[in-house]
Amino acid sequence: MSLAVRYLFLDESGDLVFAPKGTRYFTIASISLDECQVGNDLIELRRNLARQHIDIFDQFHATEDEQLVREHVFNCISQRQFRLDVTVLDKTQADDHLRQDPERLYRLAVYSHLRHIIRLVCSEEEEALVVCAAIGTKRQMRAHLSHLRYVVREVGPPHAAIGSALWRAAAEPCLQVADYCCWAVHRKWERNDTRSYDLIANRIESEYELFGE
């Protein structure tokens, strides 16, 4: 008998640039779900919008999409059940070694987030796939994937069958769902704007500030 499959999709908001030019917060979020129908819904939504002459090039991306498109996307994803977990890093509180090597800040965010939630959403009784949105150059992507696999081995359930992948969001619509959710939470922290946050607040299982602990 085949095991059930649990999916975990991670994306980030904010940047790895420190003051005075960068965002104050770097946010990483994950959606976890038992099936990927919400991603299929987004693909169908893009087709529907195209019939209305509303063009979406390559993917939905909350930062770049018009407000009308965002409203369609949030309405679409709110029809499906998923778990949302968020880790927020206040870069003004980061240690000097992180300021000197922003890639370490990214790796810390991924490690801390998965350490917090992976055993809550994955078990040894099911298979799992952890997919992180790809950022950076090909060299950085290879390093990020190696780190992701290391983290999954270190903090995941000891005998769980967990696969890891690093994909561009344009190739995986569930990553676009994670992008929208992460963007909404990041807007609350960065700009005190809860308009979109309120639309997905009932999906949030955890939301914590790493350096605030």
Side-chain angles (χ1 to χ4, degrees), residues 39 47 69 115 143 160 169:
R47 298 188 186 109
V69 173
R115 181 187 63 181

Side-chain angles (χ1 to χ4, degrees), residues 118-145:
I118 194 168
R119 295 196 185 197
L120 300 177
V121 300
C122 300
S123 73
E124 297 178 357
E125 286 71 43
E126 60 187 358
E127 295 182 1
L129 176 63
V130 178
V131 182
C132 197
I135 60 172
T137 64
K138 288 185 178 180
R139 179 191 63 79
Q140 290 172 319
M141 287 169 57
R142 285 193 290 269
H144 292 166
L145 179 57

Side-chain angles (χ1 to χ4, degrees), residues 15 39 45 63 66 71 94 149 151 187 205:
D15 56 48
L45 173 62
T63 300
E66 298 178 358
E71 291 172 0
R149 288 174 172 164
V151 172
R187 291 275 294 193
E205 290 292 333

Side-chain angles (χ1 to χ4, degrees), residues 155-175:
V155 302
H159 304 293
I162 304 177
S164 305
L166 195 77
W167 294 338
R168 295 290 188 188
E172 173 51 68
C174 286
L175 285 173

Side-chain angles (χ1 to χ4, degrees), residues 78-93:
S78 67
Q79 306 304 311
R80 298 290 178 180
Q81 292 296 318
F82 55 86
R83 172 186 173 130
L84 174 60
D85 294 274
V86 187
T87 301
V88 181
L89 290 77
D90 182 350
K91 294 188 296 181
T92 67
Q93 304 299 314

Side-chain angles (χ1 to χ4, degrees), residues 178-194:
D179 165 77
Y180 257 74
C181 293
C182 191
W183 177 85
V185 177
H186 184 79
R187 291 275 294 193
K188 187 197 81 168
W189 285 80
E190 190 75 26
R191 302 190 183 186
N192 198 29
D193 176 2
T194 63

